Amino acid sequence: MAGSSVKPTPLLKDELDIVIPTIRNLDFLEMWRPFFEQYHLIIVQDGDPSKIIKVPDGFDYELYNRNDINRILGPKASCISFKDSACRCFGYMVSKKKYIYTIDDDCFVAKNPSGELINALEQHIKNLLSPSTPFFFNTLYDPYREGADFVRGYPFSLREGAPTAVSHGLWLNIPDYDAPTQLVKPRERNTRYVDAVLTVPKGTLFPMCGMNLGFNRELIGPAMYFGLMGDGQPIGRYDDMWAGWCMKVICDHMGWGVKTGLPYIWHSKASNPFVNLKKEYKGIYWQEDLIPFFQSAVLPKECVTVQQCYIELAKQVKEKLGKVDPYFIKLADAMVTWIEAWDELNSSGEKSSNSTSK
Amino acid sequence: MAGSSVKPTPLLKDELDIVIPTIRNLDFLEMWRPFFEQYHLIIVQDGDPSKIIKVPDGFDYELYNRNDINRILGPKASCISFKDSACRCFGYMVSKKKYIYTIDDDCFVAKNPSGELINALEQHIKNLLSPSTPFFFNTLYDPYREGADFVRGYPFSLREGAPTAVSHGLWLNIPDYDAPTQLVKPRERNTRYVDAVLTVPKGTLFPMCGMNLGFNRELIGPAMYFGLMGDGQPIGRYDDMWAGWCMKVICDHMGWGVKTGLPYIWHSKASNPFVNLKKEYKGIYWQEDLIPFFQSAVLPKECVTVQQCYIELAKQVKEKLGKVDPYFIKLADAMVTWIEAWDELNSSGEKSSNSTSK
């Protein structure tokens, strides 16, 4: 019954990093300045390392390009995608903060129905700091929001909730559609502001979009691998989906919650549906095998850390999805490399300071 | 992609009955007149049969009191609760229509954020006539609503959806809280209008409230038994919950969907929390055994009708919950009686015309 004692939202200034896969325009950071300026930014440049990313004055940031990633990770850099925003997960690895917020550079500040600018980060923090309810659905949505609670019939033993690992935010204006839907509905815009946050129930998969995403890095960080996409890979635009399915299976195993709904950002422009179709088409049919795989994936109870869960999942990916396409054998190996690299960078407790600029 | 061809909502005038457990005030039907007048009402009087329920002119209705129920069902009337709104399920049994909408007499017409009166029944019909998505969560909520669709990463093979069995509507103003929450938060009102309809995922239980509820009687009717509550029973206010848990387990088994969210009604007044506590307190601790029971209940694949599923569930209730309290042995027997009575009234295809008034 959190609504009975509403406290101001902590800012988590020293506990949260903002990870941005690339910045193609200065307007992006200018628009977010009032909300982001007090946080540390980690920018992971997704393409040609010789290009210069300009960051406006006043932001505290570190920037990694491909050369930095290669230097820091050595041969293990192979697990980080090149020329694809999936490279953002390198930022999760080098961060030393408890929380991560990641956002795309075509996402701007949205307005709520009253016309007020939405502080997306503040809502993500609220979502992450309040428990989740993965074991039973509450019909008035997040019972920990002000003005809401558990409804009649909600078991009292479940009202303490579960730790929240992920806060998945949504998008007004351009919806996150696949290429076929983009092609069929070129004019569709999301104008419906749904004033809700809810927990995706245990045992249920959902399509996690990386555009506007917060998570507890200390809890679930090692599962937030965005896979092998982009340059040299047969598939794109499944990076966040892959992370979402792996992460959800692991959260279900660990008893943690995943929230979706608020906050909205304003997604300014649709990516090219023809390019997207080329990236997605293998994913569209592979996915028909991936979903049953993840729906039936069981992790043994001996897996008690996220790393152990993830290595086990990689093993199952290799065994079961390797038959679908050899790409998944390569991906399973990259999943293991990712965990090795994560542990290498995160075991000492020291902060990497190999970034290009500061 | 239903949004691409939006058709006017059919009214289902000849296919839907409105079931009301009792009517304590004339205002109720007057307020709903523009929305209900074209439908047939089934009123099931929940208390003293000698009291007269006044129905305003212009409504087409049939009314059943306890004497009618006893006459029609004979010894099987024992499965219908007395002096409790749980008796409403008798109305589901005597209806011959495909759809049922049931509403409490303290529920009035709500307004949407633009100040327009909400036609709750029309929204229930929309929910029931469009498919559900129980097998995978769609982050933009009901993909069949205008302006929405399946998001990137939603498997294409699941986009045909599943038949919708139940549409669970919500309440503005007085939220549906249990007695302890009512006592702790006497002033809480639900003012948040969440503009969403969503499918409760397969494998997830939720607290189904009978205040504002639509369902496809042809699909799920026999599972909509509201149990033994009220006069002579050790428990109250778990009638709709019980129906919801039984129904959800059966829908999951049959591959059907359950939607929750819109439409809202205006719940005008809170019931007495002290009276409610007395009704609920056994339920509050029994529930801690009920939920694990329903969460782990498995129906054998030989159960291919709702009746078969329900009889099997009654058997499991007797075996497993009978140990919790002898009440559940009595309830399990009543579940079987309910199905026998349902089949008796519904096998001939003839409409019962034993009602008191018309």
Side-chain angles (χ1 to χ4, degrees), chain B residues 1 3 22 27 30 55 81 96 105 110 142 177 215 225 227 240 313 324 350 358:
Chain B
M1 288 185 266
T22 201
D27 289 352
E30 284 306 340
V55 177
S81 299
K96 292 290 172 286
D105 72 343
D142 188 342
Y177 286 163
F215 60 92
Y225 175 48
D240 40 7
L313 202 53
V324 174
E350 278 183 284
K358 189 84 180 185

Side-chain angles (χ1 to χ4, degrees), chain B residues 4 6 65 74 93 103 149 153 183 199 252 273 278 305 323 356:
Chain B
S4 54
V6 179
N65 65 26
M93 193 185 260
I103 181 170
D149 213 312
L183 290 164
T199 299
D252 285 351
K278 198 175 161 189
T305 68
K323 295 169 204 154
T356 301

